[in-house]
Structures are given as C-alpha cells and as structure tokens.
Amino acid sequence: MNNFPEKPKEKRGIYMDHAATTYIEPDIKKAMDLYFSDLFANPAGLYGLAQEINGVLNDSRRSIAKILGALSDNIIFTGSGTSSDNLAIFGTAYQHQEIGKHIITTKIEHKAVLEPCRRLEAQGFEITYLDVNEYGQIDIKKLKQAIRPDTILVSIMYANNEIGTVEPIAEIGKEILKIRKENNSNFPYFHTDACQATGSLDLNVEKLHVDLMTINGSKMYGPKGIGVLYKRRGLVIQPMVLGGGQEMGLNSGTENIPNIVGIAKALELAQANKTVENKRLIELRDYFWQEVKNKISNVRLNGSELGDESIRLPNNLNISILGIEGESALLYLDSYGIACSTGSACNSKSLEASHVHVACGLKHEEAHGSLRFTLGHRNTKEDIDYVMKYLPGIVEKLREISPIKI
Amino acid sequence: MTDQEATIRGNDGTNWFYSEEVKDHFFNPRNFLHHDEKFESNAMGKVGSPACGDEMIIWLKINKDEDKIIDCRWQTFGCGSAIASTSVLSEMVKENGGMKIDTALSLKPQEITDRLGGLPIRKIHCSVLGDKALQEALNDWFRKTGQYDRIITAGKKVIDKVLNITDRDIEEAILEGARTLEDVQDKLKVGIGDPEAIPQIEDLIKFYTEKYYG
C-alpha cells in the first residue's frame, strides 16, 4: 500500500499564498505603531495634534504620488483594493452615463471589477468582456475594435491574481490616448487594477498612460483595509460614500492614518527593492517549476512563460496536475504545513472552476487540478525543497485513490 | 481562487470548514481500491465525470443468498468531502458483517453526512454522489441477477416543456444552493416559458430542500 509521505518531525510553516495577502513587514508595522494610541487625532481638527496628523497624511499622500509620478491631489485613500475598483467603475459610470453606457473590461478581472460591471449591466449599461489567449493576454486589436463613441471606461488589470499574467498596460494606454485624440474626446477613461503589481512592477502613471489606477496595501507587506485610487487631475468621477468630504470629496470618512502610513511605507519599500527582489523571486520560482516538472508527471504550467517579468509576475507559479483535484491537494499540503491556493470548483462557492482558467481555455479537469503558489519575502530555496519533498508523494497517493487513469 | 483563495475554514463564524470525522476519512481513507489490487467484485457503479470535478466508482461483493453486501471498495476523484463521503460510506456498508441490500437501498445522503459530523452546505452534493454510486452498483447487481423489478432509475421527468428541464435539473439546482423559486429560475429559467409548470416546480423545491437540508 502506498502511504502518504511521512509527516515531518518538525512541521514548517511554509506560506506560499502571497497573492492572497502578505504579512506586515516589521519596518512597516513599526512606522504604523505610533498612530494608534499616541498620534491619533482627526486630521480635520485645528489644534496642534490634529495638524500634526494632517501633516502625516499629506506626507503619505506625497510619498505615494512621487512613486506614481503623480500629484498629491491625485491620490485618493480608500478602504481596500476592492473599494478603489468600485469607486473607479461606479464613479465613472454614474458621472458620465449621459455620454455613454458602454464599458470594456476583460474576462479575467478580479471580482472587484467583474461584480460592479454585472451590477451596471443590470442597470442598463452594456459591458464588453474581452477574451484572452491561452496565456491570459488580451488582444489590443480586439480592444481597439470594441471601443465605440459611447464607451466611457476601459478597465483592464495590470497583472492577474491567479496566473500572474501581466497585461501590456502602457501599450493599451497609448492606444486609448490615440483614439481619444482622433475623436477629440475625453473618453474612454482608462482604469487598471494594479493590486497584484504594486510590489513588483513599474507604477509610473505617465509611462502607463492610465487615468485611474487601483493599488492596495495587503499584497506588498503593508496593512489590510487600505487602498489607493489614483485619479488623473481634471477627470471627474462620482463619490460612492458621502459624508464629511474627505479625500477630495471622493471617499468620506475619517482617514485611517495608521493604514495610510503603512501603505505609503509599504509602497516605498516595495518599489525601492523590486529590482533585487524580482530577480530573487524569478530564480526561485523558475527553480520550483523545474523541480515540479522533473518530479511529477502530467503537469502543465498555466499563464505566460516564466523568466520575464514584463509578461508574468515574478512570484507566481500556477500549475495543473492532471488526475488530482486541487482542493484535496491543498488540504494535504496544509497538513504538512504548506499554504497555497487552487482554482478548483470545489474551492469556490459557486462550484464552478476558476473563471480565469476557463477564459484561458483550460479543460475543466485541468482547472480542477490547478494549484497556485505565490512566493514572497520569506520564501527560500529550502522552502521549495521542503514542498517538493512532499508534493510528489501527495500527488501519487491522490492519483492512487482516483479512478481516472492518466 | 477569485480570490477564491483557500476557503478551508468556514466563514459563518465556525472554525473549521470540515469536521474531525471528515478530516479523518480524508487523511486516512478506508477501503479504497489500489490500482494494483485484485478485488473480486460482482457489481460496480460509477457516477460523475472528471469535467464536473467529481468522479467515483464503487465495487461491491454481494452474497446472493443473504441478499447482502459483504465487502466493497471505491475510487474517487474529487475534493476533500467527496473522498471522505465515499470512505465513510464504504465503512457503513461493511461494518457488522455487511449491509442488507434493502438497507442499502433506503440509505439517504443525510445518513452519510450525519456520520461525517455534517458537511458544509455547498458540499452536500458530494455525499449525494456517494449515495448515487452505491445505487448504480446495486442496479448493476440487479441487472446481472435478473432482478429487474428492483432496479431504481433516477426517474428523469420533464417539468418545463418549453426548455425541456427535468426534475433532475431542479434537484441539481437545489444541491448547488438554490432555495426559492427565484433562485432556481436564476439558474435554470425554469417555468418562465412554461408558467403552468410552476406549482410542480415549487413542490419539487420543497421536496428536495427537505430531502437534503431538512
């Protein structure tokens, strides 16, 4: 009888789900600590402590603006990446519905974009969901063909959370700019959800030619519950949350200063270290895939080719292991102390396979057998060796239990 | 992963997504048939398909004189609860010297989930699959032994004549989480082109909701 690989004497906690969220790095936490109980005032106040906090808020805004190549008043703090996406989409749609009710997005967006689009569809907007190729890349020609006089917004993610595919945002931005010039129009606005890209890719909005950009803190070792929406100056969107008029009137509510300090610090560190860290992660990730290919039969790589960060996030390895079901493998890996994720139907509330895998044309059984490992700061080659000590045995055992012969 | 990230814990305030019993059967599956193992069965039932994300086969050894299942083996491709459901089912069938066929025929998915200490609602269909594989295996036995009157087929009956939707489709919709006529219509558009079918659809919703969640 084939048994599962023997449990390690000392179970290591191996976290390989950084695309879901990251831990807060100590330096970032330290920067935040001061603003919980000591420097806590509402920046709207007129007394010294409040003004001090207001200064901190402005500094954070400036620091983020500088990295984005933007102006301070382009930076809107929100409650999360999801809030930023919602504000960009609903904010544009409701403000400019007189001009047009057509929006273009892709089939592989995060739910934070897809769900607002579905809501708008129910309210009479028309949404075009662009196809992607097997690597998850959109076709710019098809995008250009889809743009109409009544298209008010194009929303395309910078990098995909599941398969790590990087979309050619700068090129898309340039094309949209050209189309606007030709039509002598301010539309369509161009929004990108850059949540997965914040830690590793260039975020300069002038190079990317974006009008709206979502970033968040919790994928780059900063706090959860904080996001940023970059909005180009002069571009008008409608607020979703009304109240005291904070954030240039676009996101009312007392500013979450500890988190704002945290996201500013996180972005600063991530962008400063990205060249070195990307190289390290690419080497690790590519080694991981080599090991998987060598030690497990019938596996496939999902998403773009490895090696090049301009087409694939440095830390993403998404594979399909044929003949096994992702949730089962995930739970077994968890029992050895390894955390990762899957696009299997059984892991979703809807019991449908990942919409990203389906859009890339994966067969259902390939989607069901998918595993996503997303590496991060603390991962080392030893971690990968540890995973590879157990993964082949788990796969062998699950294939043994399974009636599907591969 | 949308972020369909690893929801292995419940999000309803309970801690673990799976009970200790589910985990035990999942991590230590009983009675599965090894690929190189010889098992002399006299009946076999197969349900699901890899495309659906679940496939299971159950092999039975039946004693004809006693009208009793005396041994069984299985293979399952699927998630944690699918594997645990088949494993616990095999144990239920084998314990105390085997299970009378009449008892096996009256087995309900609910009894499998009870034995497992419950399953998350959206995983209930996994226990139903085990029950159906067992039923298929018994049908196989009845065919082989000429007991045609004992065969139970999942009686598909067309409910909505316009869209050709059957009672099985409605059962599936309930298992996927639909609870009201609106939910079922969201999934199937049933009864919209054929409003006369609505009272019957409502009866079926009530029937299957009680059967699986009552």
Side-chain angles (χ1 to χ4, degrees):
Chain A
M1 169 167 176
N2 280 331
N3 281 315
F4 282 107
E6 204 177 306
K7 288 277 158 65
K9 285 194 189 72
E10 203 184 322
K11 194 162 116 173
R12 290 177 63 161
I14 306 263
Y15 187 75
M16 293 194 173
D17 201 17
H18 291 79
T21 195
T22 48
Y23 28 86
I24 301 187
E25 284 292 355
D27 282 352
I28 296 167
K29 186 170 175 294
K30 217 172 112 197
M32 295 166 63
D33 275 345
L34 204 53
Y35 301 97
F36 286 99
S37 303
D38 300 316
L39 303 180
F40 60 87
N42 189 325
L46 292 177
Y47 38 88
L49 183 59
Q51 285 307 298
E52 192 180 336
I53 304 297
N54 195 35
V56 170
L57 173 61
N58 288 336
D59 288 347
S60 302
R61 211 187 291 282
R62 235 189 323 272
S63 156
I64 293 174
K66 200 171 156 217
I67 291 166
L68 268 50
L71 302 164
S72 274
D73 62 0
N74 299 154
I75 305 299
I76 304 155
F77 290 111
T78 70
S80 60
T82 298
S83 306
S84 294
D85 283 341
N86 273 252
L87 177 57
I89 294 165
F90 286 127
T92 302
Y94 294 148
Q95 181 68 34
H96 301 293
Q97 53 186 324
E98 301 299 319
I99 288 161
K101 286 187 150 190
H102 180 232
I103 292 171
I104 299 170
T105 185
T106 77
K107 288 187 175 165
I108 60 162
E109 295 299 310
H110 191 274
K111 291 254 160 96
V113 168
L114 291 178
E115 290 303 316
C117 285
R118 302 235 184 277
R119 166 72 67 87
L120 288 172
E121 242 172 340
Q123 293 171 354
F125 284 79
E126 193 185 330
I127 316 285
T128 300
Y129 300 94
L130 295 173
D131 286 319
V132 294
N133 65 14
E134 60 175 306
Y135 305 111
Q137 298 152 335
I138 70 144
D139 181 342
I140 298 182
K141 249 192 296 174
K142 293 231 173 81
L143 165 65
K144 280 162 69 182
Q145 285 162 4
I147 295 176
R148 318 187 307 214
D150 62 339
T151 309
I152 50 172
L153 178 69
V154 174
S155 180
I156 293 171
M157 70 194 334
Y158 197 167
N160 183 269
N161 47 310
E162 292 188 39
I163 52 175
T165 299
V166 177
E167 301 296 343
I169 296 301
E171 218 179 312
I172 298 166
K174 238 185 263 176
E175 290 297 338
I176 290 176
L177 215 56
K178 234 195 299 179
I179 290 173
R180 288 202 299 232
K181 268 198 191 129
E182 278 165 19
N183 297 340
N184 197 19
S185 161
N186 294 324
F187 296 93
Y189 289 173
F190 181 32
H191 167 246
T192 189
D193 175 349
C195 286
Q196 293 291 333
T198 43
S200 52
L201 301 181
D202 186 7
L203 296 177
N204 186 297
V205 294
E206 293 306 323
K207 286 188 200 154
L208 294 173
H209 307 288
V210 292
D211 304 305
L212 295 152
M213 180 165 75
T214 295
I215 64 180
N216 75 353
S218 65
K219 319 278 191 207
M220 53 169 180
Y221 311 96
K224 296 160 191 45
I226 182 80
V228 163
L229 180 65
Y230 158 79
K231 180 185 77 68
R232 188 178 292 284
R233 184 179 267 186
L235 178 149
V236 186
I237 60 173
Q238 221 177 75
M240 294 295 105
V241 180
L242 304 179
Q246 287 88 347
E247 299 305 298
M248 287 66 79
L250 287 167
N251 193 36
S252 287
T254 302
E255 297 87 345
N256 187 341
I257 301 297
N259 278 1
I260 287 171
V261 169
I263 194 174
K265 186 79 185 166
L267 187 63
E268 179 199 319
L269 291 176
Q271 288 288 318
N273 299 329
K274 71 174 189 284
T275 315
V276 175
E277 181 64 359
N278 285 359
K279 187 168 172 283
R280 190 186 77 88
L281 288 172
I282 287 173
E283 273 172 25
L284 270 185
R285 190 265 322 270
D286 293 5
Y287 168 70
F288 196 174
W289 170 235
Q290 282 308 320
E291 284 288 290
V292 168
K293 245 187 350 186
N294 290 340
K295 295 186 175 151
I296 302 171
S297 64
N298 292 297
V299 287
R300 61 161 281 161
L301 178 70
N302 299 320
S304 303
E305 274 171 54
L306 304 185
D308 185 351
E309 71 202 52
S310 71
I311 55 172
R312 184 175 187 128
L313 289 175
N315 72 334
N316 174 292
L317 181 68
N318 191 311
I319 56 173
S320 286
I321 305 178
L322 293 181
I324 64 154
E325 193 280 327
E327 191 210 76
S328 287
L330 184 148
L331 293 175
Y332 268 106
L333 285 167
D334 181 47
S335 76
Y336 292 87
I338 301 158
C340 67
S341 86
T342 171
S344 162
C346 275
N347 197 42
S348 76
K349 292 196 181 111
S350 56
L351 295 175
E352 277 160 21
S354 141
H355 68 287
V356 176
H357 288 322
V358 172
C360 294
L362 255 67
K363 293 193 205 104
H364 280 281
E365 48 268 48
E366 289 169 338
H368 290 308
S370 72
L371 287 176
R372 181 189 70 177
F373 299 92
T374 42
L375 308 179
H377 281 180
R378 293 181 190 161
N379 290 131
T380 59
K381 182 173 170 290
E382 285 70 42
D383 289 352
I384 290 166
D385 292 336
Y386 178 93
V387 174
M388 289 313 296
K389 197 169 150 193
Y390 299 108
L391 183 60
I394 292 169
V395 171
E396 196 186 327
K397 177 70 181 250
L398 287 172
R399 282 177 175 169
E400 179 82 15
I401 298 177
S402 163
I404 296 158
K405 307 286 182 293
I406 47 150
Chain B
M1 286 185 305
T2 43
D3 277 352
Q4 276 164 6
E5 329 287 18
T7 20
I8 53 174
R9 279 158 217 274
N11 51 10
D12 54 356
T14 59
N15 289 327
W16 262 89
F17 191 72
Y18 286 136
S19 69
E20 287 304 316
E21 287 80 357
V22 175
K23 281 197 282 175
D24 183 29
H25 276 275
F26 174 60
F27 287 122
N28 309 292
R30 298 16 161 204
N31 307 316
F32 74 88
L33 184 71
H34 297 269
H35 284 192
D36 53 3
E37 187 185 341
K38 292 246 179 318
F39 178 71
E40 286 189 20
S41 65
N42 43 22
M44 190 266 262
K46 178 177 167 183
V47 289
S49 82
C52 309
D54 283 308
E55 179 171 307
M56 52 182 76
I57 304 181
I58 290 180
W59 292 269
L60 302 176
K61 195 180 279 181
I62 295 172
N63 181 317
K64 190 163 193 278
D65 299 334
E66 289 184 67
D67 202 40
K68 191 176 183 181
I69 306 168
I70 51 171
D71 202 355
C72 88
R73 291 284 186 283
W74 57 270
Q75 284 178 352
T76 291
F77 166 81
C79 62
S81 42
I83 289 172
S85 293
T86 348
S87 173
V88 82
L89 174 65
S90 72
E91 216 172 43
M92 290 163 79
V93 166
K94 279 183 68 167
E95 66 197 358
N96 306 322
M99 184 182 268
K100 284 286 208 182
I101 287 182
D102 281 338
T103 314
L105 286 173
S106 64
L107 198 70
K108 286 203 199 80
Q110 181 91 41
E111 292 171 60
I112 300 173
T113 45
D114 284 351
R115 249 311 255 274
L116 285 171
L119 279 177
I121 293 253
R122 68 193 162 90
K123 297 282 190 177
I124 296 286
H125 77 283
C126 298
S127 65
V128 176
L129 216 55
D131 182 57
K132 282 183 176 158
L134 180 64
Q135 179 67 58
E136 283 303 310
L138 288 172
N139 284 346
D140 183 40
W141 170 249
F142 296 146
R143 272 186 213 102
K144 280 180 177 155
T145 51
Q147 305 179 66
Y148 298 106
D149 54 328
R150 293 180 84 186
I151 293 174
I152 299 172
T153 49
K156 271 199 211 170
K157 189 175 153 206
V158 175
I159 304 294
D160 180 318
K161 289 172 207 71
V162 177
L163 294 178
N164 211 14
I165 291 166
T166 68
D167 51 357
R168 275 294 307 283
D169 297 324
I170 292 167
E171 182 183 5
E172 285 296 318
I174 300 291
L175 286 169
E176 282 166 14
R179 291 290 178 279
T180 62
L181 180 63
E182 287 74 28
D183 293 346
V184 175
Q185 286 185 326
D186 263 0
K187 284 181 188 285
L188 299 171
K189 312 283 171 237
V190 67
I192 291 170
D194 186 5
E196 280 175 22
I198 284 177
Q200 209 181 348
I201 297 162
E202 283 179 325
D203 281 350
L204 284 167
I205 291 169
K206 210 169 143 221
F207 173 77
Y208 287 121
T209 306
E210 270 168 22
K211 180 171 173 189
Y212 296 125
Y213 306 104

